[in-house]
Amino acid sequence: GAVVSQHPSRVICKSGTSVKIECRSLDFQATTMFWYRQFPKQSLMLMATSNEGSKATYEQGVEKDKFLINHASLTLSTLTVTSAHPEDSSFYICSARSPVFTGYVGDTQYFGPGTRLTVL
Amino acid sequence: AQSVTQPDIHITVSEGASLELRCNYSYGATPYLFWYVQSPGQGLQLLLKYFSGDTLVQGIKGFEAEFKRSQSSFNLRKPSVHWSDAAEYFCAVGPRSNDYKLSFGAGTTVTVRA
């Protein structure tokens, strides 16, 4: 089946530094990837939609200069948290949409295992 | 605005007992409906989905869900839970369009006791 990986799985950084999280579709090409943020014991909040070769579309309230998204290839999207602060600590999850259309495209979203970011 | 409500934050069930997780949605039109499961520290795995047709949907791991239009509900059930079913369960909805965005409920934590 379709596999999505994220790297790193866990990262601890100092306040003010930038952190890059990678999301890869391992056995398929993903024209669209999504980035979510999940606070402890809460639901997933969509942050942005990343389309290969174009600028990401951010959800309302998400600072695009804070959360830089690059979708440079059909198998890789990166999320960079710039000048991270403790309030950015969270669990970040990506998903990738397979180009194989089986019906509603939500059917073909495959989720990565997530990245736990802790900012000290 | 669309919303997804999972009324139960936490459910504890004995192994072998039945399980039902509630999900209600508020949407302009009947959306596509999904249930996902998340094990600790893991990503989400799709359990089942409803697009159209038979309102009783069968999924993986012995789960099923029933869509009730009149109640705007999509409750998840399992007749006999296993200890490995302990996880976080999310109900999600998406529009019947080319918009790929999913809206998730707050989740229900399921604890299974021996």
Side-chain angles (χ1 to χ4, degrees), chain A residues 38 43 59 104-105 107 109 112, chain B residues 38 43 49 95 100-101 104-105:
Chain A
Q38 184 181 28
S43 185
E59 294 301 299
Y104 172 54
V105 292
D107 177 31
Q109 273 197 53
Chain B
Q38 183 183 33
K49 59 188 182 291
Y100 313 142
K101 300 177 185 177
F104 287 85

Side-chain angles (χ1 to χ4, degrees), chain A residues 32 34 36 38 41-44 46 49 51 57 59 91 93 97 101-107 109 111-114 116, chain B residues 32 34 36 38 41-46 49 51 88 90 93-102 104-107 109:
Chain A
T32 304
F34 303 89
Y36 296 85
Q38 184 181 28
K41 303 298 183 182
Q42 294 188 28
S43 185
L44 281 72
L46 179 65
T49 303
N51 292 298
T57 304
E59 294 301 299
F91 194 55
I93 302 175
R97 173 186 169 243
F101 187 74
T102 60
Y104 172 54
V105 292
D107 177 31
Q109 273 197 53
F111 286 82
R116 173 75 60 195
Chain B
Y32 293 114
F34 306 84
Y36 287 88
Q38 183 183 33
Q42 302 296 311
L44 275 70
Q45 181 181 21
L46 179 67
K49 59 188 182 291
F51 290 174
E88 187 85 13
F90 292 97
V93 302
R96 291 179 177 265
S97 68
N98 261 346
D99 184 344
Y100 313 142
K101 300 177 185 177
L102 298 176
F104 287 85
T109 301

Side-chain angles (χ1 to χ4, degrees), chain A:
Chain A
V3 178
V4 175
S5 70
Q6 282 184 242
H7 178 78
S9 59
R10 185 182 298 267
V11 58
I12 300 174
C13 68
K14 293 182 179 180
S15 184
T17 60
S18 294
V19 174
K20 180 183 285 187
I21 302 170
E22 293 184 347
C23 177
R24 292 183 185 273
S25 54
L26 298 185
D27 50 3
F28 66 98
Q29 294 183 325
T31 55
T32 304
M33 291 184 173
F34 303 89
W35 287 96
Y36 296 85
R37 183 173 180 178
Q38 184 181 28
F39 291 101
K41 303 298 183 182
Q42 294 188 28
S43 185
L44 281 72
M45 300 298 296
L46 179 65
M47 298 175 65
T49 303
S50 170
N51 292 298
E52 187 268 337
S54 63
K55 290 185 178 181
T57 304
Y58 291 83
E59 294 301 299
Q60 189 173 8
V62 177
E63 300 175 61
K64 58 183 178 182
D65 295 329
K66 173 73 160 175
F67 300 99
L68 299 179
I69 292 173
N70 185 289
H71 195 155
S73 77
L74 286 171
T75 59
L76 173 65
S77 176
T78 59
L79 168 68
T80 301
V81 183
T82 61
S83 187
H85 288 92
E87 58 265 30
D88 299 324
S89 299
S90 192
F91 194 55
Y92 293 88
I93 302 175
C94 74
S95 71
R97 173 186 169 243
S98 165
V100 177
F101 187 74
T102 60
Y104 172 54
V105 292
D107 177 31
T108 57
Q109 273 197 53
Y110 300 99
F111 286 82
T115 296
R116 173 75 60 195
L117 170 63
T118 302
V119 184
L120 302 177

Side-chain angles (χ1 to χ4, degrees), chain B residues 11-109:
Chain B
I11 288 180
T12 299
V13 61
S14 297
E15 191 169 16
S18 63
L19 173 69
E20 181 168 14
L21 304 182
R22 296 182 290 165
C23 174
N24 294 94
Y25 64 90
S26 174
Y27 219 78
T30 300
Y32 293 114
L33 299 156
F34 306 84
W35 274 99
Y36 287 88
V37 60
Q38 183 183 33
S39 296
Q42 302 296 311
L44 275 70
Q45 181 181 21
L46 179 67
L47 284 175
L48 47 79
K49 59 188 182 291
Y50 173 76
F51 290 174
S52 64
D54 192 346
T55 56
L56 185 62
V57 180
Q58 302 297 321
I60 62 171
K61 303 185 178 185
F63 285 92
E64 66 178 25
E66 185 172 13
F67 168 60
K68 293 186 177 180
R69 185 189 305 272
S70 61
Q71 299 177 19
S72 296
S73 68
F74 189 55
N75 294 348
L76 181 71
R77 298 192 293 257
K78 185 169 184 176
S80 176
V81 299
H82 186 262
W83 64 266
S84 59
D85 293 323
E88 187 85 13
Y89 291 81
F90 292 97
C91 180
V93 302
R96 291 179 177 265
S97 68
N98 261 346
D99 184 344
Y100 313 142
K101 300 177 185 177
L102 298 176
S103 296
F104 287 85
T108 298
T109 301

